[in-house]
Amino acid sequence: MSEFVQTHVSGHTGVITLNRPAALNSLSLEMVRTMSATLRRWRDDAAIRTVFVHSASEKAYCAGGDIRFFHQKGIASATGGGALIEDFFTEEYALNYLIHHYPKPYVALMDGVVMGGGMGIAQAGPQARLRIVTERTKMAMPEVGIGLFPDVGGGHFLSRAPGKLGWYLGVSGAIIGAADALYANLADVFVPSSELPALHALTVKAEGDCR
């Protein structure tokens, strides 16, 4: 567990809580490493049957990578900061791969902003996933606005959208809500935010020791 990623076990469910509200849960290198280590540990723990990932804030599930980190390390690249940027993308993509091929059910509660890298930690493998949206969901791949391709597996999950919708989302970076996310095959279930306390009561409340 780190400052911005909290983990505990509730029954047979491993719970990951993103808790960096001031940055809309933008992923730092430390957060990526904490999530990766936790998921690998739970993957090999027979007592953990499901993983549930959510945010401590209703404003955002995860707004993507930490742009301030990229900016600061880019300026410092002459003194080795560039290596940390390379580490971030290498380890973030490894985390996305781990999630996509995760052998246990992986549930992502995409309440609030879910963009860029946030999509990467939500769009798990199609055989073992549940992607939940609410009326507060705001989903997009905004990195295309600065000339980057839709990364974090975007080429895969956007290509599964009906018609040419994935192309449109991948080129425009347009923001969509819950209904469009469901239509685009980027979400599985809609849950009104008013019902989230009941959902959390089932999946988040700690029962027993933490791991």
Side-chain angles (χ1 to χ4, degrees):
M1 186 162 61
S2 69
E3 180 182 2
F4 301 130
V5 179
Q6 300 168 352
T7 66
H8 74 269
V9 174
S10 176
H12 294 288
T13 300
V15 180
I16 295 176
T17 304
L18 304 178
N19 188 26
R20 195 186 181 194
L24 299 179
N25 292 329
S26 295
L27 294 172
S28 65
L29 181 56
E30 179 187 15
M31 292 170 71
V32 168
R33 287 174 171 171
T34 299
M35 287 191 68
S36 296
T38 300
L39 288 171
R40 286 194 297 267
R41 185 173 70 253
W42 287 348
R43 178 190 59 191
D44 301 326
D45 186 343
I48 306 300
R49 299 175 184 171
T50 304
V51 171
F52 179 74
V53 185
H54 74 124
S55 169
S57 168
E58 65 183 33
K59 292 184 178 180
Y61 172 75
C62 175
D66 187 344
I67 299 299
R68 180 174 295 179
F69 167 82
F70 300 149
H71 176 69
Q72 292 173 342
K73 298 307 177 185
I75 292 176
S77 60
T79 59
L84 288 177
I85 294 177
E86 182 176 346
D87 287 345
F88 176 87
F89 283 108
T90 299
E91 296 186 38
E92 182 192 26
Y93 294 166
L95 172 61
N96 300 150
Y97 183 87
L98 172 64
I99 292 171
H100 184 78
H101 293 281
Y102 210 66
K104 299 180 180 182
Y106 182 97
V107 181
L109 175 54
M110 298 186 289
D111 186 26
V113 175
V114 50
M115 298 183 180
M119 291 288 281
I121 62 170
Q123 301 293 328
Q127 300 304 317
R129 73 179 177 203
L130 183 63
R131 301 162 301 171
I132 304 170
V133 289
T134 75
E135 75 278 3
R136 295 189 293 235
T137 298
K138 295 180 179 179
M139 183 181 292
M141 301 297 286
E143 64 267 34
V144 301
I146 58 172
L148 183 64
F149 61 93
D151 65 339
V152 297
H156 175 79
F157 55 75
L158 289 177
S159 71
R160 269 61 182 172
K164 300 296 183 180
L165 183 55
W167 286 64
Y168 170 72
L169 295 175
V171 170
S172 68
I175 299 174
I176 61 174
D180 289 331
L182 289 164
Y183 178 78
N185 195 31
L186 296 172
D188 302 301
V189 177
F190 172 82
V191 175
S193 60
S194 60
E195 298 297 324
L196 293 183
L199 176 65
H200 284 282
L202 293 173
T203 58
V204 179
K205 184 189 295 184
E207 298 175 359
D209 62 330
C210 297
R211 304 189 183 189

